[in-house]
Amino acid sequence: MSNYNSVTPEFIDELKTLLGEKYVKTDADTLDRYKTDEEADERCFHLPDVVVIPANAEEIAGVVKLCNKYLIPLTVRGGGTGIVDGAIADKGGVVLLMERLNKIIELNKEGLYMVAQAGVRTLDIQAAAKAENLLYAGDPSSSDSCQIGGNLATNAGGIKAVRYGVTRNQVYAVQIVTPYGDIVDLGSPLKKCSTGYCMEQLVIGSEGTLGIITQVTLKLQPLPPYKIDMLAIFHDQMAAIGVVPQLVKAGIDPTSIEYMDNPNVRTTSEYLEFPGAPHIEDGIYVIITIETFNEDELDMKMEQASDICEAAGAVDVLEADERIWSMRRNCLESVSLISKVCTTDDVVVPVDEMSDMIQYIIKTVAKYPFPLRINAHIGDGNLHIVLCKLDLSDEEWESELSRFTEEVYTYAYAHGGRLSGEHGIGSKKAHFLERFTPGGELELMRKIKKAWDPNNILNPGKVFNL
Amino acid sequence: MSNYNSVTPEFIDELKTLLGEKYVKTDADTLDRYKTDEEADERCFHLPDVVVIPANAEEIAGVVKLCNKYLIPLTVRGGGTGIVDGAIADKGGVVLLMERLNKIIELNKEGLYMVAQAGVRTLDIQAAAKAENLLYAGDPSSSDSCQIGGNLATNAGGIKAVRYGVTRNQVYAVQIVTPYGDIVDLGSPLKKCSTGYCMEQLVIGSEGTLGIITQVTLKLQPLPPYKIDMLAIFHDQMAAIGVVPQLVKAGIDPTSIEYMDNPNVRTTSEYLEFPGAPHIEDGIYVIITIETFNEDELDMKMEQASDICEAAGAVDVLEADERIWSMRRNCLESVSLISKVCTTDDVVVPVDEMSDMIQYIIKTVAKYPFPLRINAHIGDGNLHIVLCKLDLSDEEWESELSRFTEEVYTYAYAHGGRLSGEHGIGSKKAHFLERFTPGGELELMRKIKKAWDPNNILNPGKVFNL
């Protein structure tokens, strides 16, 4: 662990010389604004000593060099939409904002790729592709406010991963500023490459600990013109989950397969004032999206999917309109109706372990004093477990939650699962990662971090501690 | 660079104690057999001091620990099908054979993955999947003799990458023996994961320099039941290449798009005694494979592809039978008709640079005294350039080849290309990698290698030198 120095007036002066007075902030309002990201628990907040807003990779490299020179920790902040404290400067020092690196540099229609600075909003990436009848397939639910660089840093997931994979599957190349302040390009828009180590894939998902991503080269694909959203309603959880392998094996290649348990159906329909939502009382929802390049193909696949769901015991198969998706998107927010404080988790297991995992959770939570809701990307084995504090005392909530989480993670790891499918580890789950990751794997990670960042300057304490 | 020790009787004794007498070979015949892989140039051969044939990961870990203890370099050999000297023990020491790790451990039909030891033949992996109506999509042309571990080590490509991606896209997890002899599992069969560094992707394609892959967990997918191979024949190279983005944008999602220039068409038809091959005199071949889950969909896509090719100027569009694929597979071998010695290269560029790259090569080779043949995975931007020595002197051949290669690589790098699309770097291209890779990127690779393998024991001199 590095022994960091305190931020000094001399360090601030050097930053101002580098970036311009205007882009180095030490006023109380600014520092306060960047004490947290989407984290709501005040105990996790931490004020940075200085916030910098560099214009480009060269300025970022300069900042990183200064941080190494003065031994000051640096935390990178994209859109600030994370919920595992990834953008909180736990150790003080510098918070670096990416918002000025907001340009799309190139959209290559023949080569099917886009080059963009890391601070571009994900929604703007998606829109730029769509304007050319192309698809950028990364689609985290925070796309209207998150940044593409943050998506890469956390290997963001979302609802389209069943068909298209996660963020790391959408990337050809990255430019990074290394932890010692070099600007290095990794990768190229190549469909095949066996030329040296694939370090772009190492950097993706490393949550800013191995480099600051300054530019990305993203894969684009043709945008399928035909699309249908279907809602299959079940009474039985196992039957609902059971359709996943059948949809996949039939070659339907669904874009999304999403799951809402019945408590979610009830709460979201109430929250969104949608009393006409089908089967509110006892329905478990499975939302299936199918996209094709041909209308006949869409009809065929829709019919097949419908048959599979009915044979599996669906009580109803309907076309899903925007209100159904809205219910799915509001699973977390709607819980505010029943509890001021709640928590969401992000565990992931192999798809064939999904049904058992959900049953295990339902059985386990019965021992605890909080209600449970599960929504899930069931096509990917990725569960979001929402727990409600209700009127438990802080101490009781903390201690029960901690016991429950421990049980769930232990089960998940025993069945090939991991702590996070898409949210990342941040500093919030770092102690879990250290405990659940086998020693040999953790040692290899630490060797890379130490080799690339000997002063432990970049995002220290995120993912794991040294 | 490590200062290695010579192999001593004491070291051999310790190996024999560990593996059993039978699996530690120092006889002249065995050493001679493993002095090369598919390399034919005797100047590249190197005799190992000892060949070991361990039974499992534990024994491999033991060998690696001994190599560290005695400072003996170790070179791993899979199927020995490489052509960049990857399995040649340039620095002497141990050659380690993977052939006894030849078991398929699990085929999970619901989770759609297969767990296998690294020494299983790729063809056996493919066959085991197919027997369950599933597809393992990795398909290098040496699949009948290469091993799955070697496929991962080199990130092997092949003809199905247009639709399915390369080997790294088929892998959920690996077990490795680290360069210091720990057994570590990296990854899990998860469709989403944001839990620590993605080191399995780092290890894949690192050509055995970062770990010995002992076990792999591979993605399986449903096997499309309908398939057609089409042959589109062009007179114009640009028109032929021009169909690639159109096929992709139409959503046809072809499995393969392969290219043979006319010299290849002539030579292979002669080599295979197939005088009835269409348009031998002036045809440029583009082979397109389409697979679907539905017969109507196949018909639609075939018609679309045919229309695209004809609109682009194809003089003929036919159904391709096995003889056409045989021509494609024999591009390299058939050159023996005109030259005893020839060489093949493996450069890769972004798909939209493919046509210009081919034209550049044709223009450039005109200055040189050797004939050229180009076959290519044009759907991936991956070219195989075959050059014939004819009756050039060794000196002239070497020096002209070296100048030509330099020109081609320089052009490729200036256009986003790289040295190898699928063959890897081995020791044969290591000096090129060191010269063409920007310093910053090479430094990051070296930092990882040094951190993981401080004694430089594993596959030293492959990919790059320390």
Side-chain angles (χ1 to χ4, degrees):
Chain A
M1 182 76 121
S2 290
N3 286 317
Y4 300 113
N5 292 324
S6 298
V7 166
T8 58
E10 195 189 348
F11 175 69
I12 301 289
D13 283 347
E14 286 217 50
L15 286 173
K16 286 182 175 169
T17 305
L18 182 71
L19 307 178
E21 190 102 14
K22 190 173 155 192
Y23 297 112
V24 179
K25 310 270 196 184
T26 52
D27 63 287
D29 278 0
T30 302
L31 301 186
D32 190 66
R33 193 183 324 152
Y34 294 109
K35 72 187 174 200
T36 186
D37 45 20
E38 284 291 310
E39 176 62 73
D41 185 341
E42 294 189 5
R43 290 167 303 178
C44 302
F45 295 178
H46 203 293
L47 284 179
D49 295 297
V50 50
V51 173
V52 299
I53 318 165
N56 51 44
E58 290 70 25
E59 289 191 359
I60 292 174
V63 172
V64 172
K65 281 184 176 141
L66 281 180
C67 287
N68 274 280
K69 176 177 165 191
Y70 286 91
L71 285 182
I72 307 288
L74 186 160
T75 302
V76 190
R77 184 188 177 99
T81 58
I83 55 176
V84 289
D85 305 353
I88 296 178
D90 305 297
K91 304 191 191 311
V94 178
V95 162
L96 185 147
L97 308 186
M98 296 298 296
E99 60 194 42
R100 289 175 70 203
L101 284 84
N102 60 1
K103 284 169 217 61
I104 292 178
I105 296 166
E106 183 191 357
L107 194 157
N108 187 316
K109 288 187 275 183
E110 293 304 304
L112 293 178
Y113 61 87
M114 192 194 302
V115 183
Q117 290 184 308
V120 176
R121 266 198 323 167
T122 305
L123 193 70
D124 296 331
I125 298 278
Q126 293 168 333
K130 200 167 180 181
E132 299 292 349
N133 214 22
L134 294 170
L135 171 71
Y136 168 67
D139 193 18
S141 61
S142 55
S143 61
D144 60 346
S145 46
C146 62
Q147 295 175 0
I148 192 66
N151 291 181
L152 269 72
T154 56
N155 186 28
I159 60 166
K160 290 185 181 165
V162 191
R163 176 163 177 163
Y164 299 110
V166 292
T167 297
R168 73 166 67 256
N169 305 117
Q170 321 304 331
V171 182
Y172 277 129
V174 296
Q175 181 187 72
I176 63 168
V177 170
T178 68
Y180 41 91
D182 278 2
I183 300 170
V184 179
D185 287 291
L186 302 174
S188 190
L190 301 171
K191 288 181 69 74
K192 275 183 179 172
C193 188
S194 294
T195 311
Y197 299 171
C198 186
M199 296 185 293
E200 58 276 20
Q201 286 294 337
L202 175 68
V203 167
I204 295 167
S206 69
E207 303 190 30
T209 61
L210 295 178
I212 301 175
I213 297 170
T214 49
Q215 187 175 299
V216 302
T217 304
L218 305 168
K219 294 178 193 173
L220 302 177
Q221 31 199 325
L223 186 68
Y226 301 97
K227 183 182 161 188
I228 179 121
D229 294 302
M230 298 165 68
L231 172 64
I233 304 171
F234 293 83
H235 285 161
D236 179 62
Q237 172 261 317
M238 280 183 70
I241 308 276
V243 300
V244 174
Q246 294 187 58
L247 291 169
V248 172
K249 281 188 195 166
I252 291 171
D253 200 11
T255 301
S256 310
I257 316 179
E258 294 290 312
Y259 174 92
M260 293 170 64
D261 67 2
N262 182 256
N264 268 309
V265 171
R266 290 173 185 232
T267 321
T268 53
S269 60
E270 190 184 341
Y271 180 74
L272 296 168
E273 299 176 359
F274 178 29
H279 299 264
I280 290 182
E281 290 312 310
D282 53 9
I284 293 169
Y285 282 12
V286 174
I287 311 172
I288 300 161
T289 303
I290 300 171
E291 294 173 298
T292 68
F293 285 86
N294 179 292
E295 201 162 359
D296 293 342
E297 193 188 332
L298 188 73
D299 290 343
M300 289 185 306
K301 289 187 169 176
M302 188 171 65
E303 210 169 299
Q304 267 185 295
S306 185
D307 290 349
I308 287 172
C309 290
E310 278 166 11
V315 292
D316 230 340
V317 182
L318 312 163
E319 188 164 340
D321 61 16
E322 179 48 35
R323 287 177 303 183
I324 302 297
W325 273 115
S326 185
M327 289 172 73
R328 172 64 188 88
R329 276 195 302 270
N330 282 279
C331 285
L332 185 56
E333 288 75 2
S334 67
V335 182
S336 63
L337 289 180
I338 57 166
S339 178
K340 265 191 198 164
V341 176
C342 65
T343 178
T344 181
D345 210 327
D346 176 38
V347 72
V348 61
V349 291
V351 283
D352 60 311
E353 296 284 351
M354 194 74 182
S355 190
D356 287 351
M357 176 88 209
I358 292 183
Q359 286 183 63
Y360 173 82
I361 292 170
I362 291 170
K363 201 183 89 198
T364 303
V365 83
K367 299 183 290 180
Y368 290 87
F370 29 61
L372 161 87
R373 272 149 182 69
I374 293 177
N375 60 77
H377 311 293
I378 43 172
D380 317 315
N382 186 199
L383 284 114
H384 297 317
I385 307 164
V386 178
L387 300 170
C388 302
K389 187 186 173 203
L390 302 178
D391 52 3
L392 295 178
S393 71
D394 286 356
E395 294 66 34
E396 200 178 358
W397 168 242
E398 284 296 320
S399 100
E400 294 292 293
L401 191 61
S402 155
R403 281 205 306 129
F404 175 78
T405 305
E406 184 82 23
E407 289 202 67
V408 169
Y409 290 164
T410 302
Y411 179 94
Y413 270 79
H415 294 82
R418 293 291 182 271
L419 295 175
S420 170
E422 55 183 13
H423 296 167
I425 302 301
S427 41
K428 198 162 193 169
K429 286 181 165 181
H431 64 290
F432 283 120
L433 184 128
E434 289 164 21
R435 217 163 71 246
F436 283 97
T437 304
E441 185 185 344
L442 193 59
E443 186 182 348
L444 288 174
M445 288 194 227
R446 285 189 167 132
K447 280 179 192 288
I448 295 173
K449 173 67 174 171
K450 283 179 190 165
W452 281 24
D453 190 5
N455 295 323
N456 198 21
I457 293 298
L458 271 195
N459 283 22
K462 309 306 178 193
V463 190
F464 53 83
N465 290 283
L466 283 183
Chain B
M1 184 76 118
S2 288
N3 287 316
Y4 300 114
N5 292 325
S6 298
V7 166
T8 58
E10 194 189 350
F11 175 68
I12 300 289
D13 284 346
E14 286 217 49
L15 285 174
K16 286 181 175 168
T17 305
L18 184 70
L19 306 178
E21 191 102 12
K22 188 174 157 192
Y23 297 113
V24 179
K25 310 270 196 184
T26 51
D27 62 288
D29 279 359
T30 301
L31 300 186
D32 191 66
R33 194 184 324 152
Y34 294 109
K35 71 187 174 198
T36 185
D37 45 19
E38 284 291 310
E39 176 62 73
D41 184 344
E42 294 188 6
R43 292 167 302 178
C44 303
F45 295 178
H46 202 291
L47 284 179
D49 295 295
V50 50
V51 173
V52 299
I53 319 165
N56 51 43
E58 289 69 26
E59 289 191 0
I60 292 173
V63 173
V64 171
K65 282 187 176 139
L66 281 180
C67 287
N68 273 281
K69 177 178 165 190
Y70 286 91
L71 285 182
I72 307 288
L74 187 161
T75 302
V76 190
R77 182 187 179 101
T81 59
I83 55 176
V84 289
D85 304 353
I88 297 179
D90 305 298
K91 305 192 192 308
V94 179
V95 162
L96 184 147
L97 309 186
M98 297 297 296
E99 61 195 41
R100 288 175 70 203
L101 285 84
N102 59 1
K103 283 167 217 63
I104 292 178
I105 296 166
E106 182 191 357
L107 195 156
N108 186 316
K109 289 188 273 181
E110 292 304 303
L112 292 178
Y113 60 87
M114 192 194 302
V115 183
Q117 290 184 307
V120 176
R121 267 198 322 167
T122 306
L123 194 69
D124 296 331
I125 298 277
Q126 293 168 332
K130 201 166 179 181
E132 298 292 349
N133 215 22
L134 294 171
L135 171 72
Y136 169 68
D139 193 18
S141 61
S142 55
S143 61
D144 59 345
S145 47
C146 61
Q147 294 175 1
I148 191 67
N151 291 181
L152 268 72
T154 56
N155 186 27
I159 60 163
K160 291 186 180 164
V162 190
R163 175 163 177 162
Y164 298 110
V166 292
T167 297
R168 76 165 66 257
N169 306 117
Q170 320 305 332
V171 182
Y172 277 128
V174 297
Q175 180 188 71
I176 63 169
V177 170
T178 68
Y180 43 90
D182 278 3
I183 300 171
V184 179
D185 287 292
L186 303 173
S188 189
L190 300 170
K191 287 181 68 76
K192 277 182 177 171
C193 189
S194 295
T195 309
Y197 298 172
C198 185
M199 295 185 294
E200 58 276 22
Q201 287 293 336
L202 176 68
V203 167
I204 296 168
S206 69
E207 302 189 31
T209 61
L210 296 179
I212 301 175
I213 297 170
T214 48
Q215 187 175 298
V216 302
T217 304
L218 305 168
K219 293 178 193 175
L220 302 177
Q221 30 199 325
L223 186 68
Y226 301 97
K227 181 183 162 187
I228 179 123
D229 295 301
M230 299 166 67
L231 171 64
I233 304 171
F234 293 84
H235 285 161
D236 180 62
Q237 171 259 317
M238 279 181 70
I241 308 276
V243 299
V244 175
Q246 293 185 59
L247 291 169
V248 172
K249 281 187 197 168
I252 290 170
D253 200 12
T255 301
S256 309
I257 316 179
E258 293 291 311
Y259 174 94
M260 294 170 64
D261 67 2
N262 182 255
N264 268 310
V265 171
R266 291 173 185 231
T267 321
T268 53
S269 60
E270 191 185 339
Y271 180 74
L272 296 168
E273 299 176 357
F274 178 29
H279 299 264
I280 290 183
E281 289 312 310
D282 53 9
I284 294 169
Y285 282 12
V286 175
I287 311 171
I288 300 161
T289 302
I290 300 171
E291 293 173 299
T292 68
F293 286 84
N294 179 293
E295 200 162 1
D296 293 341
E297 192 188 331
L298 188 73
D299 290 344
M300 289 186 305
K301 289 187 169 177
M302 187 172 65
E303 209 169 298
Q304 267 185 297
S306 186
D307 290 349
I308 287 171
C309 291
E310 278 166 11
V315 293
D316 231 339
V317 183
L318 312 162
E319 188 163 339
D321 61 17
E322 180 49 34
R323 287 178 303 183
I324 302 297
W325 272 116
S326 185
M327 290 173 73
R328 172 62 188 89
R329 276 194 301 270
N330 281 280
C331 285
L332 185 56
E333 288 75 2
S334 67
V335 182
S336 63
L337 291 179
I338 57 166
S339 177
K340 264 190 199 163
V341 176
C342 64
T343 177
T344 181
D345 211 327
D346 175 40
V347 72
V348 60
V349 291
V351 284
D352 59 311
E353 296 284 350
M354 193 74 183
S355 190
D356 288 352
M357 178 87 211
I358 292 183
Q359 286 183 65
Y360 173 83
I361 291 170
I362 292 171
K363 202 183 90 199
T364 303
V365 83
K367 299 182 290 180
Y368 290 87
F370 29 63
L372 162 86
R373 270 148 184 71
I374 294 176
N375 61 76
H377 311 293
I378 43 170
D380 317 315
N382 186 198
L383 284 114
H384 296 317
I385 308 164
V386 178
L387 300 169
C388 301
K389 187 187 173 202
L390 302 177
D391 52 3
L392 294 179
S393 72
D394 285 356
E395 294 67 32
E396 199 177 1
W397 169 243
E398 284 295 321
S399 100
E400 294 292 292
L401 190 61
S402 155
R403 281 205 304 128
F404 175 77
T405 305
E406 183 83 23
E407 288 203 69
V408 168
Y409 290 163
T410 303
Y411 179 93
Y413 270 79
H415 294 82
R418 293 290 182 272
L419 296 175
S420 171
E422 55 184 13
H423 296 167
I425 301 302
S427 42
K428 199 162 195 169
K429 286 182 166 182
H431 64 291
F432 283 120
L433 183 128
E434 289 165 20
R435 220 166 67 248
F436 283 98
T437 303
E441 185 185 343
L442 192 59
E443 187 183 348
L444 288 174
M445 287 193 229
R446 285 187 167 134
K447 280 179 193 290
I448 295 173
K449 173 67 174 169
K450 285 178 189 167
W452 281 23
D453 189 6
N455 295 324
N456 198 20
I457 293 298
L458 271 196
N459 283 21
K462 310 306 178 193
V463 190
F464 53 83
N465 290 284
L466 283 183

